[in-house]
């Protein structure tokens, strides 16, 4: 595997060296003539948004030969060097009308020709009664991010945000719902470019409540600049929700059902008139999720071994409802004020049945001991609300922008569990009850300013403050005869406070649309504390000021090839549930707990990225290296009474390196392929932790997708995911293979789309593992959080065609969350 990585790196650099030479080099000494600068800016005629990655070609009028060419940047701007003469400029962008400026108006004595703002409109051609539409690609590759469009992946219809993320290149979601980016779980997840109450608790359970029909796209940034939050050791995942801005009334309505039993329904409606735009997004879903875990363990207790066959049956029923609405006020041509808010309600019931079939091995003689059954019946009611206000002013010249943003959100969860147990079928005491009342609120404010100068110089700066408080009131009681009596040792109130204040600045410079560089510095003041009502000795407090530098260097080899080198310093603060020390009681023998003494991780991240645009596709490749200190890992500890406790600890360091390759290609008009491959070497130091060893291994994961167009407006999609085995500091995780399938067909003049899909078609998405702490403990197990699903979904659009986008652009964090800072 190591040789394979080295070979892949060599192939990457070979492709760079063999890239096509720029079209601007004409033989015959043309470079000796006086050079002129041709510049302009490209604007979408429907949305007034800048068009990135449009192609600009300068040709000779007389013979049509290519003089030079280039691509528009993220602001839609372009600047080319050319000899003067009788020349024309051709501007092309997929699904947009081609613009030809002939001749280019050179003026004697003027070194610069400014073509101004050039508006491109969608082509809307009709050929033999078929309207041509440019639909978004599944994945759009850019040097600094990957953009995954949700609507094009048939397997996501009727799913949740968790299902969507598991189909995004470089991202994996494990059986327990933990999200990893390039093999690391320390990733920052945003909604519309900002933290959100939907997933702010750190447990990521909120991903299951967000319907895929509400999501427009996923943006993945593996090495963010100083403009973005320093949080997220592996990078940033931004979930951009749908929002239309078309004039008049338009909307989309969807409904679906599936097996195991589930239903989902949603609507996205927009009405724009004059200087006001109203949008609303409503979703509702009911989902039944059966799950099963098994494990066989052998544990040394005193002078004998206990052999346990463990099964855990889970029956989870969740009912989630969400509404999000907002208003855009176009105060002037260059100013917009947006107010938006959301409300989410959830109602869950879970039944968790744990069985332990115990036998004793005494000097090789194995005899049955008992069957212990423990049943946990849990109810959970949750709510979250969020309010946002955003102001944008581009001062009319599109070269400077001021953005101000404030957000307030709060969330509450009430959980109650009734736990009973039997031995050999006979009920035994104690009967236990747990009550959890958790609430959190967050206040966020930020301001950003950017300015571009005529000499291709850009300056960005901003301020941000984020104040967060979480309280968790945890109570445990058990029966004493007919009464429930509190267990003081397990009952407490826990408060977590996190106040982060930040300031950043970046400067960037480009030369002839060929070479660009950016350096940035972000400074964050962190005030973090944990407090316990009954035991103040566990209280912690951290106050520190830290600088996070970043640097980027980009070289556009030609119009189809570019390379970027980048560096950033990142932080990963412990998640709330990693700090919460309260024990879980569903499984009284294997418990989970947090560690309030955890320290944050720090990472130095280096990347070399290459992107190549092909005639019918694109290819992106990255070589990366990361060095992390105070690494957070979960370990399983053996207790003297024969139970185990799993909790997180800080290890000393980890360094990893690898390669990440993604691409898509249209083999024919009816056949499209896409794929992603990530391989990485990691070395993790266990710091002499008892029952743990250093872990050094090479692992990889990949996915391959095939999309076939057939019949009239029908699509078939197959996707294969593979996750290779991986060593841990206490054992080994086996590989996972899954296949997803989907077929869709458009009806009623393409306004109605019917989709039938299946996730985990062969029911193979199971986590299989080994925990090896011999001679004291050894276990092999398998867990499946949710099995195969088969779903039927229908979507109907009113005054709204299938979502479209021009070519390879995809935008940044421009939705009403904005900024990404």
């Amino acid at each position: 595997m190591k040789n394979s990585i080295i070979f892949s790196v060599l192939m990457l650099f070979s492709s760079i060296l063999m890239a096509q030479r720029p079209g601007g080099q004409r033989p015959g000494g043309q470079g000796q003539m006086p050079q002129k600068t041709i510049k302009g800016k490209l604007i979408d005629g429907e949305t007034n948004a800048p068009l990135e990655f449009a192609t600009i070609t300068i040709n000779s009028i007389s013979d049509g030969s290519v003089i030079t060419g280039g691509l528009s940047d993220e602001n839609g701007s372009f600047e080319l060097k050319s000899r003067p003469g009788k020349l024309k400029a051709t501007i092309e962008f997929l699904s947009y009308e081609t613009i030809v400026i002939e001749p280019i108006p050179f003026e004697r004595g003027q070194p610069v020709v400014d073509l101004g703002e050039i508006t491109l409109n969608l082509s809307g051609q009709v050929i033999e009664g078929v309207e041509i539409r440019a639909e978004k690609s599944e994945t759009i590759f850019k040097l600094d991010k990957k953009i995954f469009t949700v609507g094009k992946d048939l397997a996501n219809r009727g799913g949740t945000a968790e299902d969507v993320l598991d189909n995004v290149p470089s991202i994996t979601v494990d059986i327990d719902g933990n999200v990893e980016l390039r093999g690391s779980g320390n990733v920052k997840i945003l909604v519309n470019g900002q933290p959100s109450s939907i997933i702010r608790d750190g447990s990521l359970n909120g991903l299951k409540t967000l319907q895929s029909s509400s999501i427009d796209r996923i943006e993945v940034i593996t090495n963010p600049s100083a403009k973005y939050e320093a949080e997220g050791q592996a990078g940033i995942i931004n979930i951009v929700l749908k929002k239309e801005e078309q004039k008049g009334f338009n909307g989309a309505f969807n409904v679906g059902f599936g097996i195991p039993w589930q239903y989902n329904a949603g609507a996205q409606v927009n009405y724009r008139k004059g200087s006001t735009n109203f949008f609303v997004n409503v979703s509702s879903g009911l989902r039944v999720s059966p799950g099963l875990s098994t494990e066989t363990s052998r544990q040394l207790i005193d002078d004998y071994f206990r052999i346990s066959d463990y099964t855990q049956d889970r029956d989870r029923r969740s009912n989630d409802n969400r509404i999000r609405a907002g208003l855009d006020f176009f105060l002037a041509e260059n100013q917009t004020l947006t107010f938006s808010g959301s409300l989410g309600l959830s109602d869950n019931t879970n039944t968790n049945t744990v069985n332990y079939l115990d036998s004793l091995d005494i000097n090789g003689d194995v005899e049955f001991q008992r069957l212990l059954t423990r049943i946990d019946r849990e109810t959970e009611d949750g709510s979250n609300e969020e309010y946002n206000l955003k102001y944008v002013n581009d001062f009319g010249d599109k070269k400077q922008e001021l953005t101000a943003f404030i957000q307030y959100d709060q969330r509450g969860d009430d959980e109650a569990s009734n736990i009973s147990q039997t031995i050999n079928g006979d009920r035994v005491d104690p009967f236990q009850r747990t009550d959890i009342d958790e609430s959190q609120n967050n206040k966020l404010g930020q301001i950003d300013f950017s300015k571009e100068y005529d000499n291709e110089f850009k300056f960005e700066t901003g301020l941000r403050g984020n104040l967060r408080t979480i309280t968790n009131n945890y109570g445990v009681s058990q029966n004493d005869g007919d009464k429930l009596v509190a267990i003081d040792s397990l009952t407490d109130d826990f408060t977590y406070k996190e106040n982060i204040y930040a300031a950043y600045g970046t400067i960037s410079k480009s030369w002839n649309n060929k070479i660009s560089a950016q350096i940035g510095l972000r400074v964050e003041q962190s005030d973090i504390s944990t407090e316990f009502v009954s035991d103040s000795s566990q209280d912690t407090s951290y106050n520190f000021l830290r600088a996070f530098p970043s640097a980027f260097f980009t070289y556009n080899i030609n119009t189809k090839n570019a390379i970027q080198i980048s560096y950033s310093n990142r932080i990963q603060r412990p998640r709330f549930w990693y700090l919460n020390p309260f024990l879980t009681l569903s499984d009284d023998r294997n418990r989970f707990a947090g560690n309030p003494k955890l320290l944050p991780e720090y990472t130095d991240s280096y990347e070399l990225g290459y992107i190549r645009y092909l005639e019918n596709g694109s290819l992106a490749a990255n070589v990366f290296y990361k060095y992390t200190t105070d690494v957070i890992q979960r370990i399983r500890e053996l207790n003297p009474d024969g139970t185990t406790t799993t909790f997180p600890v800080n290890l000393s360091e980890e360094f990893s390196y690898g390669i990440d390759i993604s691409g898509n290609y249209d083999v024919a008009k009816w056949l499209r392929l896409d794929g992603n491959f990530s391989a990485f070497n990691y070395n993790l130091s266990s710091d002499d932790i008892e029952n743990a060893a250093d872990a050094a291994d090479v692992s990889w994961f990949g996915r391959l997708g095939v999309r076939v167009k057939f019949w009239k407006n029908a699509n078939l999609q197959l996707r294969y995911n593979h996750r290779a085995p991986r060593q841990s500091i206490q054992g080994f995780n086996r590989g996972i293979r899954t296949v997803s399938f989907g077929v869709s067909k458009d009806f009623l003049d393409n306004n109605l789309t019917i989709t039938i899909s299946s996730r985990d078609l062969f029911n193979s998405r199971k986590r299989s593992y080994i925990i090896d702490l011999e001679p004291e403990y050894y276990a092999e197990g398998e867990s499946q959080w949710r099995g195969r699903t088969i779903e039927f979904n229908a979507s109907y659009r009113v005054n709204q065609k299938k979502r479209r986008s021009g070519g390879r652009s995809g935008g940044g964090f421009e939705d009403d969350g904005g900024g990404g800072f």
Side-chain angles (χ1 to χ4, degrees):
M1 179 61 69
K2 293 182 179 179
N3 293 333
S4 299
I5 295 177
I6 295 173
F7 176 74
S8 300
V9 174
L10 292 176
M11 290 296 293
L12 171 65
F13 283 104
S14 297
S15 63
I16 296 172
L17 295 174
M18 296 175 63
Q20 298 175 359
R21 66 180 183 180
Q25 301 297 322
R26 290 188 68 197
Q30 296 288 356
Q32 298 176 0
M33 299 183 65
Q35 296 286 297
K36 298 278 190 177
T37 297
I38 305 170
K39 69 177 185 178
K41 185 168 185 175
L42 307 182
I43 301 295
D44 186 311
E46 181 178 346
T47 66
N48 291 323
L51 290 177
E52 182 183 8
F53 286 126
T55 301
I56 304 96
T57 307
I58 308 300
N59 299 84
S60 168
I61 295 177
S62 61
D63 60 12
S65 60
V66 177
I67 305 303
T68 187
L71 300 174
S72 57
D73 62 17
E74 61 183 3
N75 300 306
S77 301
F78 65 89
E79 188 168 309
L80 306 172
K81 295 292 186 181
S82 172
R83 65 170 175 83
K86 294 183 179 181
L87 308 178
K88 65 178 180 180
T90 303
I91 302 167
E92 299 174 294
F93 202 40
L94 183 62
S95 81
Y96 284 74
E97 294 177 345
T98 298
I99 300 293
V100 179
I101 300 174
E102 181 180 355
I104 297 174
F106 292 107
E107 294 184 13
R108 187 179 299 274
Q110 297 296 324
V112 178
V113 179
D114 190 349
L115 301 179
E117 286 193 359
I118 303 169
T119 301
L120 276 70
N121 295 308
L122 289 162
S123 60
Q125 285 181 287
V126 176
I127 300 177
E128 296 181 354
V130 179
E131 181 180 359
I132 297 175
R133 300 188 187 96
E135 297 180 350
K136 290 184 179 180
S137 300
E138 287 88 343
T139 306
I140 300 168
F141 301 112
K142 300 167 70 174
L143 278 174
D144 61 338
K145 70 178 74 171
K146 295 184 182 74
I147 302 169
F148 179 83
T149 304
V150 173
K152 291 289 290 179
D153 195 314
L154 303 184
N156 290 323
R157 306 281 171 88
T160 66
E162 182 180 275
D163 300 318
V164 171
L165 290 179
D166 199 36
N167 280 316
V168 175
S170 306
I171 296 177
T172 56
V173 181
D174 69 15
I175 303 301
D176 300 318
N178 299 308
V179 179
E180 292 187 354
L181 178 57
R182 291 178 177 171
S184 173
N186 296 325
V187 60
K188 182 70 172 180
I189 300 180
L190 307 176
V191 177
N192 288 333
Q194 299 293 347
S196 172
S197 60
I198 300 174
I199 53 176
R200 193 187 296 280
D201 60 6
S203 69
L204 303 181
N205 287 328
L207 292 174
K208 299 182 179 69
T209 71
L210 188 60
Q211 299 294 319
S212 63
S213 60
S214 302
I215 302 173
D216 179 40
R217 64 185 185 272
I218 305 294
E219 299 177 338
V220 180
I221 305 177
T222 55
N223 211 16
S225 72
K227 178 178 179 179
Y228 300 101
E229 279 188 88
E231 180 86 17
Q233 172 258 16
I236 292 174
I237 297 173
N238 182 42
I239 301 173
V240 181
L241 303 180
K242 289 180 178 177
K243 171 189 168 183
E244 290 287 346
E245 292 186 350
Q246 298 182 45
K247 292 182 179 180
F249 173 84
N250 62 85
F253 306 86
N254 59 275
V255 64
F257 62 89
I259 303 171
W261 169 241
Q262 61 175 302
Y263 86 83
N264 65 84
Q268 302 89 43
V269 176
N270 177 84
Y271 180 73
R272 179 172 179 177
K273 183 176 181 180
S275 60
T276 304
N277 179 62
F278 171 75
F279 56 92
V280 62
N281 191 320
V282 182
S283 64
S284 177
L286 173 66
R287 176 171 294 213
V288 176
S289 302
L292 176 67
S293 298
T294 62
E295 181 182 279
T296 298
S297 64
R298 179 182 176 89
Q299 184 173 359
L300 179 62
I301 302 177
D302 296 329
D303 56 352
Y304 64 89
F305 286 99
R306 183 180 65 196
I307 301 173
S308 297
D309 290 321
Y310 157 90
T311 61
Q312 182 185 42
D313 286 293
R314 296 179 294 272
D315 181 27
R316 302 179 305 281
R317 300 169 184 265
S318 59
N319 187 2
D320 301 298
N321 306 279
R322 186 173 304 280
I323 181 171
R324 173 176 172 266
L327 280 170
D328 293 319
F329 297 99
F330 303 99
L331 306 178
E333 185 177 346
N334 59 296
Q335 298 181 64
T336 304
L337 182 67
T338 300
F339 171 78
S340 63
S342 66
L343 172 65
L345 300 173
S346 63
D347 177 14
N348 304 313
T349 59
N350 305 315
T351 301
N352 191 53
T353 304
V354 174
N355 291 289
Y356 279 99
L357 181 62
D358 295 332
S359 301
L360 300 183
D361 182 349
I362 303 175
N363 298 324
D365 295 327
V366 179
E367 60 181 47
F368 168 77
Q369 182 188 25
R370 65 178 183 177
L371 172 62
L372 171 65
T373 300
R374 191 173 176 88
I375 302 176
D376 179 0
R377 296 176 176 87
E378 179 192 50
T379 60
E380 179 181 357
D381 297 323
S383 66
N384 64 81
E385 51 189 296
E386 183 174 303
Y387 307 97
N388 304 288
L389 184 64
K390 181 183 179 183
Y391 170 76
V392 179
N393 187 342
D394 64 13
F395 300 95
D397 60 4
K398 309 293 184 181
K399 291 188 176 182
Q400 53 185 340
E401 183 176 87
L402 174 69
T403 302
F405 178 80
I406 57 175
Q407 173 181 291
Y408 173 79
D409 64 71
Q410 62 181 15
R411 177 172 185 149
D413 291 286
D414 293 318
E415 301 177 28
S417 289
N418 293 302
I419 305 171
S420 60
Q421 59 183 5
T422 63
I423 295 179
N424 297 332
D426 298 323
R427 181 172 175 174
V428 296
D429 287 336
F431 170 84
Q432 294 179 325
R433 177 181 173 90
T434 64
D435 292 280
I436 303 174
D437 180 9
E438 181 180 305
S439 64
Q440 57 178 297
N441 66 76
N442 185 79
K443 306 175 188 71
L444 185 153
Q446 71 180 58
I447 185 168
D448 301 278
F449 177 75
S450 65
K451 183 174 178 61
E452 297 180 40
Y453 298 87
D454 292 336
N455 60 351
E456 300 182 325
F457 176 82
K458 185 177 182 179
F459 171 71
E460 296 177 289
T461 188
L463 298 171
R464 173 189 173 103
N466 192 0
L467 312 178
R468 181 158 72 123
T469 300
I470 305 176
T471 60
N472 186 285
N473 302 321
Y474 186 75
V476 181
S477 56
Q478 66 182 31
N479 69 307
D480 182 5
D482 295 332
K483 297 180 180 180
L484 284 177
V485 179
I487 305 177
D488 293 336
S489 61
L490 298 177
T491 300
D492 207 342
D493 294 342
F494 176 56
T495 300
Y496 173 78
K497 294 183 179 180
E498 178 187 276
N499 298 332
I500 310 295
Y501 309 94
Y504 79 91
T506 69
I507 56 174
S508 56
K509 169 71 175 174
S510 62
W511 292 267
N512 301 327
N513 230 21
K514 197 78 172 175
I515 299 175
S516 63
Q518 181 198 86
I519 58 172
L521 182 67
R522 183 183 188 87
V523 178
E524 291 191 350
Q525 170 68 41
S526 301
D527 297 331
I528 301 174
S529 65
T530 61
E531 300 174 2
F532 296 84
V533 171
S534 63
D535 186 5
S536 60
S537 65
Q538 295 190 73
D539 292 355
T540 61
S541 179
Y542 302 103
N543 300 283
F544 50 88
L545 182 69
R546 175 91 179 201
F548 300 92
S550 66
F552 297 80
F553 176 83
T554 303
Y555 175 57
N556 295 316
I557 302 171
N558 54 33
T559 59
K560 295 184 178 180
N561 298 269
I563 188 171
Q564 183 182 81
I565 300 174
S566 61
Y567 163 79
S568 69
N569 185 246
R570 312 286 297 163
I571 186 175
Q572 182 66 45
R573 300 178 183 92
R575 297 172 181 170
F576 168 70
W577 281 109
Y578 273 21
L579 297 169
N580 190 341
F582 301 144
L583 293 168
T584 60
L585 296 180
S586 293
D587 183 350
D588 196 37
R589 188 176 293 178
N590 293 299
R591 297 179 174 181
F592 292 83
N595 178 4
K597 304 295 184 181
L598 284 178
L599 299 173
E601 299 179 351
Y602 292 98
T603 297
D604 288 305
S605 177
Y606 305 83
E607 286 201 16
L608 171 63
Y610 170 67
I611 190 167
R612 178 178 177 85
Y613 295 112
L614 308 171
E615 185 69 24
N616 296 313
S618 54
L619 173 70
N622 293 79
V623 178
F624 59 90
Y625 173 83
K626 296 180 183 292
Y627 174 73
T628 303
T629 58
D630 292 319
V631 179
I632 298 174
Q633 286 277 306
R634 277 186 169 184
I635 64 170
R636 182 178 291 196
E637 184 176 74
L638 305 179
N639 302 317
D641 61 355
T643 64
T644 68
T645 304
T646 300
F647 60 95
V649 297
N650 283 113
L651 306 180
S652 62
E653 62 181 9
E654 177 186 28
F655 63 88
S656 62
Y657 57 88
I659 186 169
D660 185 14
I661 301 174
S662 299
N664 54 51
Y665 191 75
D666 293 328
V667 180
K669 292 182 179 180
W670 55 271
L671 177 61
R672 181 181 181 86
L673 303 178
D674 68 87
N676 169 241
F677 174 78
S678 291
F680 49 92
N681 179 289
Y682 60 94
N683 291 266
L684 186 61
S685 300
S686 63
D687 281 351
D688 298 324
I689 292 177
E690 187 178 0
N691 294 318
D694 293 351
D697 199 4
V698 174
S699 188
W700 63 275
F701 60 85
R703 53 172 51 89
L704 178 65
V706 179
R707 187 183 182 91
V708 179
K709 294 183 179 181
F710 67 101
W711 201 10
K712 293 182 178 180
N713 300 318
N715 291 275
L716 170 69
Q717 177 182 291
L718 285 171
R719 188 177 298 279
Y720 172 73
N721 289 1
H722 185 103
R723 187 170 183 174
R726 187 173 180 181
Q727 184 181 349
S728 68
I729 61 174
Q730 288 190 319
F732 183 75
N733 294 313
R734 296 188 176 96
I736 300 175
R737 303 173 183 85
T738 61
V739 174
S740 297
F741 162 84
V743 60
S744 72
K745 177 76 170 68
D746 292 339
F747 301 91
L748 302 179
D749 193 25
N750 296 328
N751 288 315
L752 173 66
T753 301
I754 303 296
T755 304
I756 300 174
S757 61
S758 175
R759 276 186 291 273
D760 193 10
L761 184 62
F762 299 109
N763 203 35
S764 59
R765 191 168 182 257
K766 303 174 182 179
R767 180 171 67 93
S768 181
Y769 60 89
I770 294 174
I771 299 176
D772 187 356
L773 311 180
E774 289 192 308
E776 289 86 2
Y777 185 86
Y778 181 87
E780 293 192 29
E782 184 177 85
S783 178
Q784 185 175 41
W785 182 257
R786 191 165 188 254
R788 173 179 48 236
T789 63
I790 300 174
E791 298 166 12
F792 171 89
N793 289 275
S795 176
Y796 185 75
R797 296 169 290 278
V798 178
N799 296 330
Q800 185 183 104
K801 298 299 183 182
K802 281 190 173 181
R803 299 183 64 83
R804 58 193 176 186
S805 174
R808 294 177 292 250
S809 72
F813 294 173
E814 70 266 25
D815 205 81
D816 57 300
F821 164 57

